[in-house]
Amino acid sequence: MKVPMLDLSEQYSNLRDEMLKALDDVMTSTRFILGSNVKKLETDVAEFSNVPYAVGVANGSDAIHISLQACGVTAGDEVITTPFTFFATAGAIARCGATPVFVDIDPVTFNINPELIEEKITPKTKAIIPVHLYGQMAEMDRIMEIADKHGIFVVEDAAQAIGATYKGKHTGEYGHTATYSFFPTKNLGAYGDAGMIVTKHEDLAEKMSVIRVHGSKPKYYHHVLGYNSRLDEMQAAVLNVKFPHLNEWSEKRRARADIYTALLKNKLQDKVVTPIEVSDRHHVFHQYTIRVDRRDELQAYLKEQGVATMIYYPLPLNVQPVFAELGYKEGDFPESDKAAREAISLPMFPELTEEQQTYVVECIEKFYN
């Protein structure tokens, strides 16, 4: 049996007629930049996130960068974040001229450990970026308590967590901003690059709206150094077709996560550590990530059996070559190092069948037994 990491074909087949009409409507309108589709998506995603403002941008990486710039992060500042995340998180900090300062993770959730944050705060600290990894939010009340105490900004990296909640609140309700990626593999994915920032702060929304269009308002009058980072009207049209299905898809992911967990605990409880959904959080399972020994050997074996997997992430950011000048070394963040050795993500998408999941678990069982 072949089990892909992600298969978007059935999703497209189900939405094909509606999708083609939406794209044709954009082409017929000849309004391709910041048109009605972008405005509708911004309105809907802001409402979904329970905040008043949303700003569509070109991708999730720019969403973080523009958020930081709007918060005033600049050269010489420091921004605290996790080393166990995709490069874009720290890359956005460095692109502002600021220095990433890393804090180790909570081994249960893979998210930044808030109890380690305060010791890293200095007079140069301007912001914290908690990453809601794999679809489960970080411990935001504690993070906001620390940030408020020290007067620093919080930018939630919610690229993998649209629809997730913590104590009943959505991404964006805690931090000064929250950033979404609509990369095609995400829970809500475009057919190319796309991103969005949500916020409850009108002044930040205004700044970010100006930054995304070369820092100009009105047009051709430039007050800040901005970027060409607009959410494309065609991608917004795609996302508007998909958006009404997001909650249903999230629940299907959760159901498939339950199936994986039941199968793995029944057959491999002593070999596999399954994901834990913390009681006060709603996990949307962008990835279903387990911890195992002999991870790389298992991945190679599953590939031979036709099962695709991914390792998110094999090398923590503190030891990435591009950040060598920061002076970190392996061992500085032991929980992140351990996760980088043990974590492997199994196939996860709403259309994944129970037959496919059973086969995946049977293959893991054969490897260990």
Side-chain angles (χ1 to χ4, degrees):
M1 183 183 293
K2 298 288 186 183
V3 187
M5 190 69 193
L6 173 68
D7 184 356
L8 295 171
S9 60
E10 184 177 338
Q11 182 190 96
Y12 176 66
S13 179
N14 293 336
L15 299 176
R16 183 176 185 275
D17 291 345
E18 190 178 356
M19 196 71 72
L20 293 177
K21 182 182 184 305
L23 293 171
D24 184 66
D25 287 347
V26 173
M27 290 183 281
T28 300
S29 75
T30 71
R31 178 70 187 271
F32 301 114
I33 303 296
L34 297 182
S36 60
N37 280 284
V38 171
K39 290 187 177 117
K40 174 174 172 47
L41 187 66
E42 289 174 334
T43 299
D44 288 348
V45 171
E47 182 179 354
F48 179 81
S49 304
N50 204 26
V51 297
Y53 307 105
V55 180
V57 294
N59 53 69
S61 302
D62 282 1
I64 303 170
H65 187 194
I66 290 171
S67 287
L68 291 173
Q69 183 173 340
C71 291
V73 175
T74 188
D77 291 334
E78 295 175 350
V79 178
I80 294 171
T81 193
T82 164
F84 194 68
T85 180
F86 180 57
F87 177 78
T89 310
I93 297 169
R95 286 165 62 197
C96 288
T99 300
V101 175
F102 297 114
V103 168
D104 211 355
I105 60 171
D106 172 354
V108 173
T109 65
F110 296 99
N111 289 327
I112 193 168
N113 185 339
E115 300 311 318
L116 302 176
I117 290 175
E118 200 158 17
E119 65 189 49
K120 295 294 184 77
I121 293 175
T122 75
K124 295 181 179 180
T125 305
K126 194 66 171 282
I128 304 168
I129 306 180
V131 180
H132 305 318
L133 204 66
Y134 302 144
Q136 182 163 225
M137 287 180 66
E139 194 177 331
M140 288 306 301
D141 54 357
R142 179 66 179 127
I143 292 169
M144 293 308 302
E145 178 186 341
I146 294 166
D148 291 344
K149 175 182 174 182
H150 293 275
I152 52 183
F153 290 94
V154 174
V155 173
E156 299 177 60
D157 182 343
Q160 301 182 5
I162 188 168
T165 63
Y166 172 71
K167 295 186 175 180
K169 290 186 177 182
H170 286 265
T171 50
E173 289 191 75
Y174 286 96
H176 294 83
T177 73
T179 65
Y180 295 134
S181 168
F182 301 131
F183 188 75
T185 61
K186 295 297 190 288
N187 290 25
L188 180 64
Y191 288 163
D193 281 311
M196 190 166 288
I197 312 161
V198 295
T199 182
K200 53 185 177 286
H201 299 282
E202 184 178 10
D203 60 329
L204 291 177
E206 172 67 16
K207 288 177 183 178
M208 294 184 296
S209 296
V210 170
I211 292 169
R212 72 173 173 182
V213 287
H214 298 286
S216 69
K217 186 179 181 181
K219 194 173 183 179
Y220 303 127
Y221 291 81
H222 303 267
H223 304 278
V224 297
L225 185 61
Y227 314 94
N228 179 16
S229 184
R230 299 167 292 207
L231 175 59
D232 185 83
E233 187 74 2
M234 298 282 276
Q235 298 300 342
V238 168
L239 292 164
N240 281 330
V241 172
K242 289 188 172 191
F243 184 72
H245 303 278
L246 177 58
N247 283 334
E248 176 192 355
W249 291 339
S250 294
E251 288 309 306
K252 287 183 175 180
R253 286 174 176 271
R254 289 174 55 79
R256 279 142 187 81
D258 287 344
I259 291 170
Y260 268 140
T261 298
L263 290 170
L264 288 165
K265 285 190 172 180
N266 181 48
K267 296 174 180 291
L268 290 151
Q269 188 164 7
D270 61 334
K271 300 291 185 182
V272 173
V273 178
T274 56
I276 294 174
E277 180 180 39
V278 182
S279 60
D280 54 13
R281 291 164 228 199
H282 181 80
H283 199 320
V284 293
F285 287 97
H286 173 61
Q287 302 296 343
Y288 185 89
T289 302
I290 60 176
R291 286 178 179 264
V292 294
D293 291 328
R294 299 167 57 203
R295 192 267 315 277
D296 294 347
E297 294 174 60
L298 173 63
Q299 184 179 47
Y301 176 80
L302 291 176
K303 183 178 180 181
E304 291 173 359
Q305 308 311 308
V307 176
T309 58
M310 288 293 291
I311 295 172
Y312 305 105
Y313 297 92
L315 190 65
L317 296 185
N318 60 291
V319 289
Q320 291 284 350
V322 70
F323 292 132
E325 64 183 24
L326 298 180
Y328 292 107
K329 62 185 183 302
E330 188 174 353
D332 286 344
F333 306 104
E335 292 298 346
S336 296
D337 290 341
K338 191 169 187 287
R341 291 192 303 268
E342 296 178 347
I344 183 169
S345 297
L346 304 182
M348 172 55 77
F349 50 96
E351 298 79 18
L352 187 68
T353 68
E354 189 167 350
E355 181 185 14
Q356 288 174 313
Q357 290 186 267
T358 301
Y359 177 71
V360 171
V361 175
E362 286 175 349
C363 289
I364 297 172
E365 184 182 19
K366 286 177 183 176
F367 173 79
Y368 283 109
N369 292 336

